[in-house]
Structures are given as C-alpha cells and as structure tokens.
Amino acid sequence: MTLQHWIRQSHRWLGIALTLTVLANFLAMPFGPPPAAITYAPLAPLALLLISGLYMFFLPYRRQAERN
C-alpha cells in the first residue's frame, strides 16, 4: 500500500469520524450545554482532515513540478 493510498483512505475515515463527532455534539445539545470533551471532539479529526486534504490538493502540482 503506497503512502498516497494510505492518506486517501485515512482522509475518508477521518471524514466519517468528523461527521460522528459533530452528530454527537448536536445530539447532546438538547440536554443542556454539552461537556467540553464533546464540544471539542471534532477539532482533532478536522485538523487531520485539513492536513491530509492539503496534501492531496498540492500533490498534482508537486508531480508537475518534478516533471519539469
């Protein structure tokens, strides 16, 4: 398994994790203010999604620069 495949696959799973943490946050809101652990839980997957997304975004430009 190449690094690019691993990053793409982890990006997909991180998207699912982010969705679940945001959903948990919204499900906890009717019961009062959610605990800090639930409130800040989406930040970790979001930061990792940012890193992997930027990597995948700039990958074609890097390949093009290596060819020239």
Side-chain angles (χ1 to χ4, degrees):
M1 184 183 286
T2 64
L3 177 65
Q4 294 170 12
H5 179 73
W6 185 84
I7 289 176
R8 190 173 302 274
Q9 192 68 24
S10 63
H11 187 80
R12 291 179 186 136
W13 282 105
L14 285 168
I16 293 169
L18 177 68
T19 302
L20 291 176
T21 56
V22 169
L23 184 63
N25 204 341
F26 278 107
L27 290 175
M29 283 184 184
F31 302 107
I38 294 177
T39 302
Y40 297 117
L43 293 179
L46 185 62
L48 293 172
L49 276 169
L50 174 67
I51 293 167
S52 62
L54 286 172
Y55 173 80
M56 289 189 298
F57 178 78
F58 286 111
L59 191 60
Y61 298 108
R62 189 176 134 216
R63 286 185 195 154
Q64 185 179 15
E66 287 175 357
R67 278 188 244 145
N68 292 334

